[in-house]
Amino acid sequence: MKIVIVNYGMGNIYSIQNALKFLGFASEYSDDPAKISNADKIILPGVGSYRKAMQNIISKDLKNPIKEAVEKKGNPILGICLGMQLLGISSTEDGYTKGLGLFDGIVERFDEKCNLKIPHIGYNEVMPASNSVLFQSIKENPDFYFVHSYRMMSPIENGITTCNYGENFIAAFEQNNVFGTQFHPEKSQTNGLILLKNFLSV
Amino acid sequence: MLSRNFRLQKVGNLDWIENNYNFENIAFSIDELIILNVNRNGRNLIEFSKTIAKLISNVFVPVAVGGGVTSMEYAKTLFMSGADKIIINSILTENPYLVKELVREYGSQSVIASIDYNIDKKEILAYRNNGINPINYNFTDYITYIQKLGVGEVYLNSIQKDGTGQGYSMDIIGPYLNLFKVPVILAGGAGNSKHLIEASHNPGVDAVATANLFNFIGQALPNSRRDMQEEGIHMANFLPLKKVKQPV
């Protein structure tokens, strides 16, 4: 199985690879469009600014290879944190930026009216979607590590895992071969390791 | 690696940790790992970053690294070694432009401001340069100042209590906790689970840290975690490690 972690210059390059290695899977960190479109599994990581991330993806010519692999070949993709947000339609971070459009969700800043500390940092419980593939064999309301100031909302109801931080937002989604987690599975101890393993078993 | 029990005390290098502790056991009992380079006689960045990479290769919680961050390049090396966040102190006042640049480049969630505080002539003061030099700010103003720089978290360390195991200095820092709009990690002084529990009950405290070696011996960390949960403190529940090893 060829697992490619998309390298577009955003985020912690080692932790995901270390986690996969711990689970016994080799992976490659690459910005090669051909490798990405031929990958059996794609992981889109990311920490940082949405606008800059999309600029990097476009300037490295990675947008079409990702979309081709996911939409035409049906290969599974997992977006993590900013990577999940990029799978959506758009974000209002640093002005309006269009995402990859693989999932019907839009990203906006947490509602300041909730009067909670932003960024939302730390472990929080999530409510897994019913019949979730990602959360298979993970107990009810598991905790995962979050660190973000923007969150995704979606009109879609199926396959949505939610978390509450002043308001309900999307903690994870799964729709056919498109998966995303707002939290960091590679930073969520055993819970996250099992989730990654579930994704690799899709 | 240094133990901070009863003053700074050298205990051994990385191999020492591996031989004396079940680090995997430690790593699976915590929510976050903080690694501070407290070397006062010049810091070797290359050596330090290698140590980090080795130490955290099987650690799957967020890792914050600090000590001697004085340039973008230095920070980059730490991030490239696997740090998720960097902890800064002296540059908060010595080079605020660098702080803003770090926040712009890596995001506020990746930059933690460390405040080493102590009481000097009945007045609370923040210190820089490994706790040596006082910062000439009124403490309240300093708290406002560092938050304006855009840092995403604050690591509050009591110089007086650090390494004593006598408990956090809540009497001193308590009145200032409501001034923080970003999450607060309380450090310096924890010696047992009671200390961790007491501090966690304070609504101004978002996380508690311990560097006390006694807390790492045997089952002390997993036990503290259990004690905290029994006291009604919300702690993340993790599945047993052996479940990860099983086939799906």
Side-chain angles (χ1 to χ4, degrees):
Chain A
M1 181 161 67
K2 283 187 300 236
I3 305 168
V4 172
I5 303 168
V6 182
N7 171 11
Y8 61 106
M10 307 287 283
N12 190 330
I13 58 170
Y14 294 115
S15 50
I16 295 172
Q17 210 159 25
N18 275 342
L20 300 185
K21 199 168 140 196
F22 189 82
L23 294 169
F25 293 92
S27 60
E28 194 175 352
Y29 195 66
S30 174
D31 61 355
D32 179 347
K35 277 188 178 156
I36 292 167
S37 67
N38 288 321
D40 298 310
K41 297 267 160 61
I42 301 171
I43 295 180
L44 186 63
V47 172
S49 138
Y50 198 101
R51 173 175 288 262
K52 195 174 168 202
M54 277 315 294
Q55 280 169 355
N56 288 4
I57 286 175
I58 290 164
S59 70
K60 282 176 177 274
D61 275 329
L62 302 180
K63 189 176 171 182
N64 291 331
I66 293 172
K67 288 191 77 132
E68 195 180 287
V70 177
E71 288 179 327
K72 291 206 181 120
K73 297 182 184 168
N75 293 344
I77 187 167
L78 172 66
I80 296 174
C81 194
L82 176 62
M84 175 200 96
Q85 298 184 350
L86 296 173
L87 297 178
I89 306 291
S90 66
S91 169
T92 52
E93 188 176 351
D94 299 331
Y96 179 88
T97 308
K98 270 192 171 175
L100 293 166
L102 292 166
F103 180 78
D104 187 7
I106 56 161
V107 179
E108 287 171 332
R109 197 171 160 86
F110 271 110
D111 194 342
E112 306 261 358
K113 283 191 238 90
C114 295
N115 244 340
L116 289 164
K117 290 178 179 179
I118 301 174
H120 170 219
I121 300 184
Y123 290 86
N124 206 342
E125 275 182 9
V126 306
M127 284 263 301
S130 48
N131 303 320
S132 162
V133 175
L134 287 180
F135 293 89
Q136 233 179 92
S137 81
I138 299 177
K139 62 178 183 56
E140 278 173 42
N141 304 343
D143 290 274
F144 289 90
Y145 184 75
F146 290 86
V147 49
H148 60 129
S149 302
Y150 286 74
R151 85 289 186 265
M152 185 185 268
M153 298 292 199
S154 169
I156 292 172
E157 286 172 8
N158 284 335
I160 300 292
T161 293
T162 57
C163 178
N164 187 283
Y165 189 66
E167 54 183 338
N168 279 332
F169 67 91
I170 296 180
F173 61 74
E174 45 194 276
Q175 190 181 49
N176 304 319
N177 57 332
V178 183
F179 299 82
T181 64
Q182 177 62 63
F183 52 79
H184 287 268
E186 78 284 11
K187 296 283 163 191
S188 299
Q189 266 223 33
T190 45
N191 297 351
L193 292 170
I194 292 173
L195 183 137
L196 285 172
K197 198 152 97 173
N198 288 340
F199 169 70
L200 297 175
S201 314
V202 169
Chain B
M1 171 57 71
L2 295 155
S3 152
R4 299 186 119 192
N5 287 319
F6 316 114
R7 294 166 192 272
L8 221 51
Q9 185 184 4
K10 191 161 184 165
V11 294
N13 60 13
L14 196 54
D15 296 330
W16 182 89
I17 299 180
E18 281 172 1
N19 293 335
N20 287 273
Y21 295 111
N22 179 351
F23 192 71
E24 198 166 90
N25 193 18
I26 293 173
F28 282 95
S29 305
I30 56 174
D31 291 338
E32 198 151 344
L33 180 67
I34 294 171
I35 306 171
L36 293 174
N37 186 354
V38 293
N39 197 332
R40 286 173 185 164
N41 313 313
R43 295 179 170 103
N44 183 334
L45 176 62
I46 306 294
E47 212 42 52
F48 184 47
S49 57
K50 273 189 200 156
T51 303
I52 296 166
K54 194 174 167 202
L55 191 64
I56 67 177
S57 59
N58 281 338
V59 171
F60 304 109
V61 294
V63 177
V65 180
V69 178
T70 46
S71 67
M72 288 299 283
E73 202 53 38
Y74 200 108
K76 190 179 174 188
T77 307
L78 297 183
F79 282 117
M80 297 288 284
S81 314
D84 299 293
K85 312 172 185 187
I86 51 161
I87 301 176
I88 54 174
N89 187 336
S90 301
I91 57 168
L92 290 163
T93 43
E94 288 172 356
N95 193 351
Y97 298 103
L98 176 59
V99 178
K100 286 185 180 169
E101 209 178 331
L102 286 167
V103 169
R104 215 173 14 244
E105 179 73 22
Y106 297 102
S108 59
Q109 81 288 339
S110 299
V111 183
I112 303 179
S114 152
I115 303 181
D116 282 330
Y117 65 90
N118 210 346
I119 294 288
D120 180 56
K121 294 174 197 137
K122 295 195 177 169
E123 198 192 348
I124 181 168
L125 277 182
Y127 287 72
R128 64 186 172 205
N129 315 109
N130 264 330
I132 297 165
N133 302 318
I135 294 164
N136 292 326
Y137 271 81
N138 163 289
F139 197 65
T140 305
D141 293 344
Y142 187 61
I143 291 170
T144 309
Y145 165 80
I146 59 157
Q147 292 186 99
K148 278 196 182 143
L149 292 175
V151 300
E153 262 178 293
V154 171
Y155 176 84
L156 274 177
N157 180 48
S158 160
I159 294 175
Q160 191 192 5
K161 289 292 186 74
D162 191 18
T164 63
Q166 293 169 350
Y168 298 108
S169 65
M170 199 55 93
D171 49 333
I172 294 168
I173 201 67
Y176 296 93
L177 292 173
N178 64 355
L179 300 175
F180 293 98
K181 305 281 175 259
V182 295
V184 168
I185 305 164
L186 197 65
N192 57 48
S193 54
K194 249 193 203 153
H195 298 148
L196 302 173
I197 291 164
E198 211 178 86
S200 301
H201 278 308
N202 188 310
V205 174
D206 299 277
V208 287
T210 176
N212 193 309
L213 271 188
F214 290 126
N215 288 332
F216 297 150
I217 293 168
Q219 291 297 306
L221 269 187
N223 290 349
S224 297
R225 201 178 176 85
R226 190 205 52 214
D227 293 347
M228 291 173 81
Q229 278 171 323
E230 281 173 3
E231 285 296 320
I233 293 159
H234 179 89
M235 304 279 287
N237 266 311
F238 299 118
L239 294 158
L241 185 57
K242 62 175 189 288
K243 225 180 147 178
V244 177
K245 308 277 187 186
Q246 287 165 3
V248 177

